[in-house]
Amino acid sequence: MVMIKASWVSIFAIAAVLLVILAPAAEAVTCSPMQLSPCAAAITSSSPPSALCCAKLKEQKPCLCGYMRNPSLRRFVSSPNARKVSNRCKLAIPRC
């Protein structure tokens, strides 16, 4: 009985290790509009986006639909300048 139980524990342990090794690493993104602060100048004026802005914009891409749904943020995220910044950063604007 103890031997059977130990075998099942071993099988589950091996399966867990394989899942960790073989599963693609999914990074969790913390949605925070403040992460886009490096883009403020480019979004509110006609200045080009910095490399940091583009990196942050790409990092926050999973959050953009939420930002677009937020009435307080929509005017910034959906503005013509924001679209220009997105294009310059080679980031497709998601369809929400």
Side-chain angles (χ1 to χ4, degrees), residues 15-74:
V17 169
L18 287 174
L19 281 174
V20 169
I21 292 172
L22 299 176
E27 292 183 34
V29 175
T30 301
C31 293
S32 170
M34 291 306 296
Q35 293 293 313
L36 297 177
S37 62
C39 300
I43 290 173
T44 58
S45 69
S46 59
S47 63
S50 65
L52 179 59
C53 168
C54 291
K56 290 294 185 178
L57 192 59
K58 289 174 183 174
E59 179 185 292
Q60 291 287 302
K61 184 178 179 181
C63 308
L64 293 178
C65 286
Y67 298 158
M68 286 184 216
R69 289 185 197 110
N70 183 324
S72 301
L73 302 173
R74 183 179 312 139

